[in-house]
C-alpha cells in the first residue's frame, strides 16, 4: 500500500472519529436516557392507577413529603381498538397515549410505543398566558364524560370560563379538540387558544430520529431533537434556538399541521384555520428535550362573548393510507427526499411485490434485480464507453509523452488517436450520464426503504431480525462494538467492483487509492443504515459485478 493510500485512509478515519468526539463534547449524555429538567419537588404529582373506560374516576393520594396538599388529580382512560389514552383533570390535558399494535423491541419487555414522550409534562396543555393569570397549564378542571366518544373539561379562572372537549374517532388514531372561552367579565380579553406538546428523547431505538416538525406552505420545517439524525433524512444537528413558524406579510401561508415525530410515528396537531395558525418550536435541553406550541392569532372577545376554536389530532403510525386519508398534507411527514414521486413509486412497488413474496427481505432483493434489469441498457452503454476508453489509454498516454512540453501538439496527437479509433473524446463524460441518472433511483429507493413503516420489525433470515434497523452479527465483548456483516460484505464487494472497472486516463496511484477509500467510506456510511437498505445496496453491487464481468469478457464492438 503506497503513501497516498495510507494518508487517505488516515484522514478518513480521523474525520470520522473526530466527528464522533465533537458530538461527545457537545452532547456528553447523548447515549443515555435524558434526565428530567424539572426538579423533583416541582414535578407534577404522580398519577394513580388509571381506571378502565367506564369505571369511576380515581383520585391520586397526596404526596407525604409535600408540605401543602396538592390539588386532587382525577384521571379517566379512553380505550380504543388501536390505542389507550389517559387524560387528567390537571390542565384538562393528556397524560399518556400508547399504541396497541406497535411495541418497542429495543426495550426490555417490549413495551407499547408511547406517543407521549415526556411523562412529567402534560400534552395538549393550554397555558393561556395572554389572559393575565399566569401559566394555566396545570389549572384544575372538572371532568365529564357524556359518552364513550366525548370527554369534557371545564374550568373557571376569574371571570373567564374555559371548556375543552375531546371527541374520539371510533376507529383510527384521530381525535378532535375544541376549546371554548367565554368572557364573563367587563373588559375585553384576547385569547390565542394555544396548545402545548412537550417532547423528550427516550432510550429506545425509536428515538434515533426524533424531531419537532411543522408544515407551512409547501415544505416541512424540522427541529431536530436527537443529536444523530439519519443521513439524507432529518438532516443537520439538534436545534439550539427557538424556531417560529408564522405568516409573513405578502407571502402565501398555511400551517397545515405541526407535531413531534420519529421515523415511523407522529403526534400531529392540525388547526381548523391554517391561515391563522402559528407554531413555535423551542429547545428545553438541547439534544434531548424540546417544546412545541401551536396557537392562533389572538382574537378580541368583548364582555359576554364566547368563541370556540378547534384542532384535529393524529397520534399514531406513519401509515401512508391513513395519513393520506387524514388530509392536510399530513403524508408529507413521511420522508421522501428530493425525489418524492420515486419514493412513492418504489414504496408501492415494494408493497405490490410483497403480495407475492411474503418476506420483505426477498421482496427487496427481487425489486433490486428488477431495477438493475430496467437500467441495464444505460449501464451497458456506460461500461462499453469505459472499456473502449481503457483500451485506448496506452495510445493516449504515448501520444502525450511524444510532446511533453507542447500542450497544443499534445492535444492534437490525442485527438488523432481518438479519430483513428472512431471514438469521441467526450464519450468518457457521456459515460457518466447513466451514473447521474441512477442517482434519483437510488435516492427514491433509499427513502422507500428508510421510511416505510411496513419494514419495521420485519425479519429477513438468521441474524437479520429487523430490516428497519442495522443488523448485528455479534458484539465484541468488553467493547460493546457490533460487528455488522452487511456493511463488511458491501465493502469487500465494492473493492472487487473497483478492481474490475476500467479507469482510463487515471494515475495508477490514484486508481489504487480509489479502490480502497471509496469502499471504506461506503462501509462506514452503511454501518448505521437500516439492514434493508444495506441488503439493497449489496445486491445491487453484486449484480453490477456480474454485469462488469460479462462486459469484460465480451468483445468490444467495432467503432462505426
Amino acid at each position: 500500500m503506497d503513501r497516498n493510500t495510507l494518508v487517505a485512509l488516515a484522514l478518513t478515519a480521523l474525520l470520522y472519529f473526530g466527528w464522533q468526539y465533537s458530538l461527545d463534547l457537545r452532547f456528553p449524555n447523548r447515549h443515555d436516557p435524558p434526565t428530567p429538567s424539572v426538579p423533583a419537588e416541582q414535578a407534577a404529582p404522580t398519577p394513580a392507577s388509571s381506571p378502565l373506560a367506564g369505571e369511576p374516576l380515581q383520585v391520586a393520594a397526596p404526596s407525604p413529603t409535600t408540605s401543602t396538599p396538592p390539588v386532587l388529580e382525577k384521571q379517566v382512560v379512553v380505550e380504543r381498538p388501536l390505542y389507550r389514552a389517559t387524560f387528567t383533570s390537571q390542565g384538562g390535558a393528556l397524560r399518556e397515549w400508547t399504541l396497541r399494535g406497535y411495541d418497542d423491541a429495543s426495550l426490555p419487555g417490549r413495551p407499547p410505543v408511547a406517543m407521549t414522550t415526556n411523562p412529567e409534562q402534560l400534552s395538549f396543555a393550554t397555558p393561556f398566558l395572554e389572559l393575565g393569570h399566569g401559566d394555566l397549564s396545570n389549572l384544575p378542571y372538572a371532568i365529564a364524560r357524556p359518552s364513550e366518544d366525548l370527554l369534557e373539561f371545564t374550568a373557571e379562572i376569574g371571570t373567564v370560563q374555559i371548556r375543552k372537549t375531546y371527541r374520539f374517532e371510533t376507529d383510527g388514531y384521530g381525535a378532535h379538540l375544541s376549546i371554548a372561552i367565554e368572557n364573563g367579565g367587563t373588559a375585553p380579553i384576547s385569547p390565542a387558544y394555544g396548545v402545548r406538546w412537550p417532547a423528550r428523547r427516550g432510550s429506545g431505538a425509536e428515538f434515533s430520529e426524533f424531531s419537532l416538525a411543522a408544515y407551512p406552505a409547501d415544505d416541512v420545517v424540522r427541529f431536530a431533537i436527537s443529536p444523530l439524525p439519519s443521513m439524507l433524512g432529518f438532516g443537520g444537528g439538534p436545534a439550539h434556538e427557538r424556531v417560529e413558524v408564522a405568516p409573513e406579510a405578502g407571502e402565501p401561508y398555511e400551517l397545515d399541521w405541526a407535531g413531534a415525530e420519529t421515523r415511523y410515528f407522529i403526534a400531529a396537531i392540525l388547526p381548523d384555520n391554517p391561515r391563522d395558525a402559528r407554531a413555535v418550536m423551542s429547545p428545553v435541553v438541547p439534544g434531548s428535550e424540546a417544546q412545541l406550541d401551536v396557537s392562533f392569532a389572538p382574537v378580541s372577545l368583548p364582555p359576554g362573548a364566547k368563541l370556540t376554536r378547534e384542532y384535529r389530532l393524529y397520534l399514531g403510525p406513519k401509515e401512508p393510507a391513513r395519513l393520506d386519508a387524514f388530509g392536510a398534507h399530513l403524508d408529507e411527514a413521511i420522508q421522501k427526499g428530493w425525489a418524492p414521486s420515486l419514493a412513492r413509486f418504489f414504496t408501492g412497488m415494494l408493497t405490490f411485490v410483497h403480495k407475492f413474496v411474503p418476506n420483505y427481505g426477498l421482496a427487496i432483493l427481487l425489486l433490486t434485480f428488477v431495477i438493475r434489469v430496467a437500467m441495464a441498457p444505460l449501464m451497458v452503454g456506460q461500461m462499453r464507453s469505459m472499456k473502449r476508453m481503457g483500451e485506448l489509454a496506452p495510445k493516449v498516454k504515448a501520444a502525450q509523452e511524444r510532446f511533453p512540453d507542447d500542450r497544443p501538439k499534445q492535444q492534437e496527437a490525442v485527438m488523432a488517436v481518438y479519430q483513428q479509433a472512431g471514438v469521441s473524446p467526450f464519450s468518457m463524460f457521456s459515460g457518466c450520464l447513466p451514473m447521474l441518472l441512477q442517482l434519483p433511483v437510488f435516492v427514491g429507493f433509499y427513502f422507500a426503504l428508510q421510511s416505510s413503516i411496513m419494514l419495521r420489525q420485519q425479519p429477513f433470515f438468521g441474524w437479520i431480525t429487523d430490516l428497519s434497523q442495522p443488523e448485528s452479527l455479534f458484539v465484541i465483548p468488553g467493547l460493546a462494538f457490533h460487528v455488522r456483516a452487511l456493511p463488511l460484505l458491501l465493502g469487500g464487494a465494492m473493492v472487487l467492483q473497483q478492481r474490475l472497472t476500467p479507469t482510463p486516463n487515471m494515475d495508477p496511484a490514484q486508481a489504487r487509492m480509489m479502490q480502497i477509500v471509496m469502499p471504506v467510506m461506503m462501509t462506514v456510511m452503511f454501518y448505521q443504515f437500516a439492514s434493508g437498505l444495506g441488503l439493497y445496496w449489496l445486491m445491487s453491487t453484486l449484480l453490477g459485478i456480474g454485469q462488469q464481468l460479462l462486459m469484460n469478457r465480451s468483445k468490444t464492438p467495432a467503432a462505426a
Side-chain angles (χ1 to χ4, degrees):
M1 189 178 296
D2 59 18
R3 185 182 63 180
N4 290 338
T5 304
L6 289 173
V7 170
L9 288 174
L11 289 176
T12 302
L14 183 63
L15 179 63
Y16 176 75
F17 290 109
W19 174 58
Q20 293 283 346
Y21 180 69
S22 68
L23 285 175
D24 288 333
L25 290 179
R26 293 167 58 196
F27 309 105
N29 300 319
R30 63 191 179 95
H31 297 296
D32 303 326
T35 55
S37 60
V38 181
E41 61 271 12
Q42 299 178 10
T46 304
S49 300
S50 302
L52 296 177
E55 294 185 3
L57 303 179
Q58 300 294 321
V59 179
S63 172
T65 60
T66 307
S67 56
T68 58
V71 177
L72 296 180
E73 178 188 359
K74 298 180 181 179
Q75 296 183 355
V76 63
V77 172
V78 176
E79 299 277 0
R80 282 295 181 270
L82 299 179
Y83 62 86
R84 183 179 190 270
T86 303
F87 289 84
T88 172
S89 61
Q90 185 178 337
L94 175 67
R95 177 69 73 181
E96 184 182 41
W97 184 298
T98 56
L99 306 183
R100 294 189 182 278
Y102 294 91
D103 58 24
D104 192 340
S106 66
L107 295 177
R110 300 177 69 109
V113 171
M115 302 305 302
T116 45
T117 57
N118 192 340
E120 296 165 359
Q121 299 291 327
L122 300 174
S123 301
F124 304 134
T126 44
F128 288 127
L129 296 173
E130 64 276 6
L131 296 181
H133 295 280
D135 192 335
L136 302 181
S137 297
N138 295 316
L139 179 69
Y141 283 74
I143 304 178
R145 192 169 188 181
S147 69
E148 289 296 309
D149 298 332
L150 286 178
L151 191 59
E152 295 181 349
F153 295 88
T154 55
E156 186 171 334
I157 181 74
T159 58
V160 178
Q161 291 80 40
I162 305 172
R163 179 183 294 272
K164 299 172 67 174
T165 304
Y166 296 88
R167 186 170 74 255
F168 307 99
E169 296 180 357
T170 303
D171 186 23
Y173 298 95
H176 289 75
L177 168 60
S178 64
I179 305 173
I181 297 180
E182 183 175 356
N183 183 8
T186 58
I189 58 175
S190 299
Y193 295 84
V195 295
R196 176 168 294 171
W197 184 273
R200 176 186 293 177
R201 178 175 60 91
S203 56
E206 298 295 340
F207 293 94
S208 60
E209 297 170 0
F210 188 36
S211 72
L212 299 178
Y215 188 82
D218 296 323
D219 196 13
V220 179
V221 177
R222 284 189 166 87
F223 183 101
I225 299 174
S226 295
L228 289 175
S230 69
M231 196 172 298
L232 295 178
F234 281 59
H240 295 266
E241 297 181 0
R242 179 176 179 269
V243 175
E244 183 173 359
V245 181
E248 296 183 7
E251 292 188 5
Y253 174 86
E254 282 191 4
L255 180 64
D256 288 322
W257 57 266
E261 63 171 0
T262 60
R263 185 194 299 180
Y264 299 121
F265 302 94
I266 184 170
I269 303 170
L270 295 79
D272 66 342
N273 185 3
R275 296 184 180 181
D276 194 31
R278 59 203 63 212
V280 177
M281 298 177 278
S282 310
V284 177
V285 179
S288 66
E289 192 173 342
Q291 175 179 288
L292 170 68
D293 288 278
V294 182
S295 63
F296 297 96
V299 58
S300 179
L301 285 183
K306 181 180 179 180
L307 181 65
T308 302
R309 304 303 297 264
E310 291 195 0
Y311 295 96
R312 285 196 301 154
L313 312 173
Y314 180 90
L315 295 89
K318 291 182 179 179
E319 297 176 4
R322 291 187 184 275
L323 299 187
D324 286 338
F326 213 77
H329 300 100
L330 190 56
D331 64 305
E332 294 297 330
I334 301 176
Q335 294 281 339
K336 303 181 186 72
W338 48 265
S341 298
L342 282 173
R344 292 190 189 96
F345 171 76
F346 286 122
T347 301
M349 287 294 296
L350 190 60
T351 304
F352 176 77
V353 173
H354 185 256
K355 292 180 180 179
F356 305 96
V357 182
N359 185 294
Y360 271 109
L362 294 177
I364 290 173
L365 296 179
L366 181 58
L367 190 54
T368 305
F369 178 79
V370 172
I371 292 173
R372 293 292 303 199
V373 169
M375 301 193 69
L378 292 174
M379 297 297 298
V380 167
Q382 176 193 0
M383 290 177 176
R384 283 177 177 171
S385 174
M386 296 296 289
K387 183 179 180 181
R388 189 64 178 155
M389 296 296 292
E391 292 173 348
L392 292 177
K395 295 182 179 180
V396 170
K397 185 177 180 181
Q400 291 172 338
E401 291 175 350
R402 285 169 54 195
F403 308 99
D405 301 322
D406 194 334
R407 193 165 187 80
K409 289 187 176 181
Q410 188 181 89
Q411 292 176 348
E412 290 178 6
V414 171
M415 288 297 295
V417 171
Y418 286 135
Q419 289 174 359
Q420 247 182 354
V423 175
S424 170
F426 301 104
S427 60
M428 181 173 65
F429 300 101
S430 63
C432 297
L433 181 59
M435 297 179 65
L436 296 178
L437 293 177
Q438 292 178 69
L439 185 59
V441 175
F442 165 71
V443 173
F445 202 38
Y446 167 88
F447 281 103
L449 296 177
Q450 190 78 351
S451 303
S452 296
I453 193 171
M454 56 191 174
L455 295 181
R456 183 180 180 270
Q457 296 183 359
Q458 290 294 321
F460 178 38
F461 78 96
W463 74 98
I464 305 178
T465 57
D466 188 347
L467 290 168
S468 69
Q469 297 293 332
E471 44 84 21
S472 179
L473 186 60
F474 62 89
V475 180
I476 299 178
L479 298 179
F481 181 79
H482 293 265
V483 176
R484 310 194 194 280
L486 289 179
L488 297 177
L489 290 173
L490 173 62
M494 289 196 67
V495 169
L496 178 59
Q497 187 180 41
Q498 292 279 343
R499 291 182 180 275
L500 293 174
T501 304
T503 53
N505 301 332
M506 182 178 288
D507 181 74
Q510 292 179 346
R512 287 194 300 271
M513 184 175 66
M514 289 296 293
Q515 290 173 3
I516 296 177
V517 172
M518 283 300 294
V520 169
M521 290 179 60
M522 294 296 288
T523 300
V524 171
M525 185 173 70
F526 272 83
Y527 217 76
Q528 296 301 327
F529 277 2
S531 55
L533 188 65
L535 197 62
Y536 152 69
W537 198 249
L538 176 60
M539 180 65 172
S540 182
T541 302
L542 293 176
L543 291 173
I545 290 174
Q547 198 171 17
Q548 189 68 59
L549 286 172
L550 291 175
M551 182 58 61
N552 290 348
R553 291 179 181 179
S554 64
K555 187 176 181 180
T556 306

